[in-house]
Amino acid sequence: MNVGSALGQACVKPTGDFSYQISDKSVMFTNSVLDATSFKWDFGDGNTSLSNSPRQNYASYGNFNVCLTAFNSCSQAFFCKTIELSAVITGVEEITESRVYSFPNPFNDRFLVSFGKDLPDNFLIINSSGNIVQSFIRTEMSPNMTFDLSKQPSGIYLLNWSRSGKNETTRMVQIH
């Protein structure tokens, strides 16, 4: 028998949820649970908090299972969500002396890259979340290559290549 029932009152289980806002590796959690008197957060990285609406600074990027336990005098409730922290590309320094040309920019589904005579050692197409969409090594390339990103969402893509240990990057914009 719980305390609320022993006194002739119905026990009310905490209800609600929580939300969060991510800024790089810092996350602000907002608690909207009702009928609770205390809280315990488990941030999924080994750290916990007893605050109502805490801020957590994560040491690394990744997926974290965050759980909020809400307590009152006669019950408790659990609220869990998986959050994803990933690096966001905010700017790219473009090198203008490159002899690699890409066009059209912006593009719809396909674009052409002309490497000239000096093929790079490797070539990457990276989306705005930092994930590699396509990658090639020198033996897979030709001086002029057409790339098809029709199955990718609209957005900014980075073209990254290296020659003789020197990395170069340019930006492409896909518009469907």
Side-chain angles (χ1 to χ4, degrees), residues 11-149:
C11 180
V12 177
K13 185 175 182 176
T15 59
D17 201 0
F18 68 88
S19 59
Y20 56 90
Q21 288 189 323
I22 298 172
S23 177
D24 194 39
K25 290 185 267 185
S26 179
V27 182
M28 182 66 197
F29 293 95
T30 303
N31 179 350
S32 59
V33 174
L34 303 173
D35 300 315
T37 55
S38 62
F39 306 96
K40 181 178 180 187
W41 293 84
D42 180 338
F43 298 114
D45 64 349
N47 291 305
T48 61
S49 173
L50 300 177
S51 297
N52 185 33
S53 293
R55 175 178 299 278
Q56 170 64 5
N57 295 311
Y58 287 87
S60 62
Y61 297 111
N63 292 329
F64 299 92
N65 188 33
V66 178
C67 290
L68 168 61
T69 307
F71 303 91
N72 64 24
S73 62
C74 62
S75 186
Q76 65 184 22
F78 302 94
F79 308 92
C80 296
K81 294 181 182 182
T82 300
I83 64 169
E84 178 183 355
L85 302 180
S86 58
V88 176
I89 299 170
T90 58
V92 175
E93 180 182 337
E94 290 196 47
I95 300 173
T96 57
E97 62 191 60
S98 175
R99 291 197 172 80
V100 173
Y101 302 98
S102 52
F103 51 90
N105 194 11
F107 68 98
N108 187 353
D109 292 332
R110 294 173 187 80
F111 62 92
L112 176 75
V113 175
S114 177
F115 296 108
K117 294 184 289 182
D118 190 17
L119 291 177
D121 299 321
N122 60 49
F123 182 79
L124 303 173
I125 300 174
I126 304 166
N127 66 20
S128 59
S129 296
N131 298 318
I132 296 172
V133 174
Q134 294 182 13
S135 66
F136 301 89
I137 58 173
R138 178 186 290 256
T139 57
E140 300 171 317
M141 293 187 278
S142 62
N144 296 302
M145 294 182 69
T146 299
F147 297 94
D148 184 349
L149 295 185

